[in-house]
Structures are given as structure tokens and as C-alpha cells.
């Protein structure tokens, strides 16, 4: 394991509850009622996908300008909630500190737009991360692999050498598609199992050595296959 790539909302900080409040406010503004099923479908999603889900659910025309306006309103509303303070997820801050002390490179990989992520970093701390990749800085957000591929490239590492830490099905799918091993600590919704995913109930108590062991267990066979392919070329 050469680096750890962190999701933000629901993984480092328990901000999904604030997104719940913001999404309910958006639905009120648009004249609808947010259902648990729709909220679950939007957890961890990119802004464009989220707005498509919302507008489909409300039977509104998929007008790009209106959807962009709603996304901007949602992000502005959420920024105000972020500024009141973000609670840490259990064990996240301690694990960040331990990884930093062990000189393990880290990147923040989030679907949240840069302007809003910067507000969150006021709480989390920018000093932990050698790179930050936001949803509005890649061609496609999660569940596409683009954010994780960009983070690995910024760290000048093969994604196979990186462990991603995620809490949602959307994020886990993105990290897995990029080639990362994935440590999943579910928050708002369950995350399906997968051959390159290991789930934990909480990050509390985990140490860098634990993450290195998890990465080795998940990534070892795929690294061996990749190495064999290189040997034959």
C-alpha cells in the first residue's frame, strides 16, 4: 500500500445528515417530498446525476439550466450547514493522524464541488492531503472511476497500489473501477460486498498496519496477475 485515497462525506465527516437536510429543503423549494428511496439513490452521487434523479422523481422537464440552478442552490444551502461545523466519523480523525505520522501519502477524492469541499476542509484540515480531487474537476464523477484515476495520477501511483476508503455503493464502485482496493465503512446506506472490498463497522481502532494488511489481502492476487502480464511483454 503506497497511499490512502479518502472519500469525504460519510467517510471522514458525518455530513450525509446535513445533505439530508439540504435535499429536503430542495424538495420543499421544488414543491415535492423527498422519499427515503430517492435519498438513498443520491448518496455519494455527482451533482448532475443527483439532479437528474430529483427531476425525474418530481416529473420536471430535464432542462439543463434549471437543473444547474437547483444544483447551485443545493450547494449554497449545504455550504451554510457545513459552516456550522462538521462532526467527524468515528475513528476517522485518529486514523488520519496515524497515517500522517507514518508518512503515508493521502488524497481526498470527493464528488462534492471544489468550492464546497474547501469549506469542509476548514474542519478536516488541508495538511493531511497531498492531493484533492473534486467532482467538478473530472469529466465524470463517481460511480465513474475518473476521480480515483486522477487522484492516483496526481500522486504518481498506480491505482493498484492505493487503498480507497469509502462509505457508499457509488464511491465503492468508482474506486473499484479505477483498480483500487476498497475499505468500506458504511454510513447512511448498505454497501454490497465485492471481491476487492472489505467492510468494517467503523474506522475506530484501525491503524496504518491494519490498512496495509487489508490492501495486501485485496490487491495481492490482482498485482500478481498484472506482474505476470508485464513479465510476458
Amino acid at each position: 500500500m503506497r497511499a490512502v485515497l479518502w472519500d469525504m462525506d460519510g467517510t471522514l465527516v458525518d455530513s450525509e445528515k446535513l445533505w439530508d437536510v439540504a435535499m429536503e429543503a430542495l424538495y420543499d423549494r421544488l414543491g415535492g417530498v423527498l422519499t427515503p428511496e430517492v435519498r438513498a439513490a443520491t448518496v455519494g452521487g455527482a451533482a448532475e446525476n443527483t439532479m437528474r434523479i430529483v427531476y425525474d422523481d418530481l416529473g420536471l422537464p430535464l432542462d439543463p439550466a434549471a437543473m444547474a440552478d437547483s444544483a447551485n442552490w443545493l450547494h449554497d444551502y449545504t455550504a451554510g450547514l457545513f459552516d456550522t461545523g462538521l462532526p467527524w466519523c468515528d475513528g476517522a480523525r485518529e486514523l488520519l493522524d496515524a497515517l500522517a505520522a507514518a508518512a503515508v501519502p493521502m488524497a481526498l477524492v470527493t464528488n462534492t464541488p471544489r468550492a464546497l469541499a474547501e469549506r469542509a476542509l476548514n474542519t478536516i484540515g488541508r495538511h493531511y492531503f497531498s492531493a484533492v480531487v473534486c467532482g467538478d474537476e473530472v469529466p465524470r464523477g463517481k460511480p465513474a472511476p475518473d476521480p480515483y484515476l486522477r487522484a492516483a495520477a496526481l500522486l504518481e501511483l498506480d491505482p493498484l497500489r492505493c487503498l480507497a476508503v469509502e462509505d457508499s455503493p457509488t464511491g465503492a464502485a468508482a474506486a473499484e473501477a479505477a483498480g483500487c482496493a476498497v475499505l468500506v465503512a458504511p454510513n447512511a446506506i448498505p454497501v454490497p460486498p465485492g471481491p476487492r472490498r472489505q467492510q468494517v463497522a467503523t474506522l475506530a481502532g484501525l491503524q496504518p498496519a491494519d490498512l496495509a494488511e487489508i490492501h495486501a489481502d485485496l490487491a495481492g492476487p490482482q498485482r500478481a496477475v498484472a506482474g505476470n502480464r508485464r513479465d510476458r511483454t
Side-chain angles (χ1 to χ4, degrees):
M1 181 186 77
R2 296 287 303 279
V4 177
L5 311 181
W6 287 92
D7 173 55
M8 184 177 76
D9 294 301
T11 300
L12 282 174
V13 288
D14 198 9
S15 49
E16 291 296 354
K17 295 180 178 62
L18 301 182
W19 282 104
D20 291 344
V21 173
M23 285 288 290
E24 288 174 357
L26 175 63
Y27 261 72
D28 185 64
R29 181 173 186 258
L30 295 175
V33 177
L34 178 65
T35 65
E37 293 77 17
V38 170
R39 177 63 187 116
T42 63
V43 170
E48 183 179 349
N49 291 339
T50 294
M51 287 304 112
R52 187 177 296 110
I53 291 169
V54 168
Y55 273 58
D56 275 340
D57 178 52
L58 294 174
L60 297 173
L62 299 181
D63 177 65
M67 293 166 68
D69 179 70
S70 291
N72 290 335
W73 187 92
L74 177 68
H75 294 149
D76 288 344
Y77 191 98
T78 307
L81 298 177
F82 276 20
D83 287 345
T84 65
L86 290 168
W88 287 91
C89 291
D90 288 346
R93 188 172 191 175
E94 292 79 4
L95 187 50
L96 279 176
D97 286 335
L99 288 164
V104 177
M106 291 183 280
L108 187 69
V109 187
T110 176
N111 262 346
T112 298
R114 169 65 69 166
L116 188 51
E118 288 293 331
R119 306 277 275 270
L121 283 167
N122 291 335
T123 294
I124 298 169
R126 294 169 179 78
H127 63 284
Y128 290 113
F129 307 109
S130 301
V132 175
V133 178
C134 299
D136 55 350
E137 298 172 339
V138 291
R140 301 172 299 165
K142 305 173 190 178
D146 302 33
Y148 279 103
L149 291 173
R150 177 168 172 77
L154 289 172
L155 296 179
E156 299 183 341
L157 291 172
D158 187 325
L160 292 174
R161 307 300 299 274
C162 302
L163 178 70
V165 187
E166 276 283 355
D167 75 300
S168 71
T170 298
E176 202 169 48
C180 302
V182 190
L183 173 62
V184 180
N187 186 318
I189 56 176
V191 179
R196 289 178 54 73
R197 304 175 186 181
Q198 179 164 326
Q199 297 208 19
V200 293
T202 176
L203 299 176
L206 291 178
Q207 295 296 322
D210 299 315
L211 269 59
E213 182 177 351
I214 289 168
H215 179 269
D217 289 343
L218 295 174
Q222 186 159 336
R223 284 208 310 272
V225 170
N228 290 339
R229 287 174 179 163
R230 286 193 296 271
D231 291 342
R232 290 198 296 268
T233 59

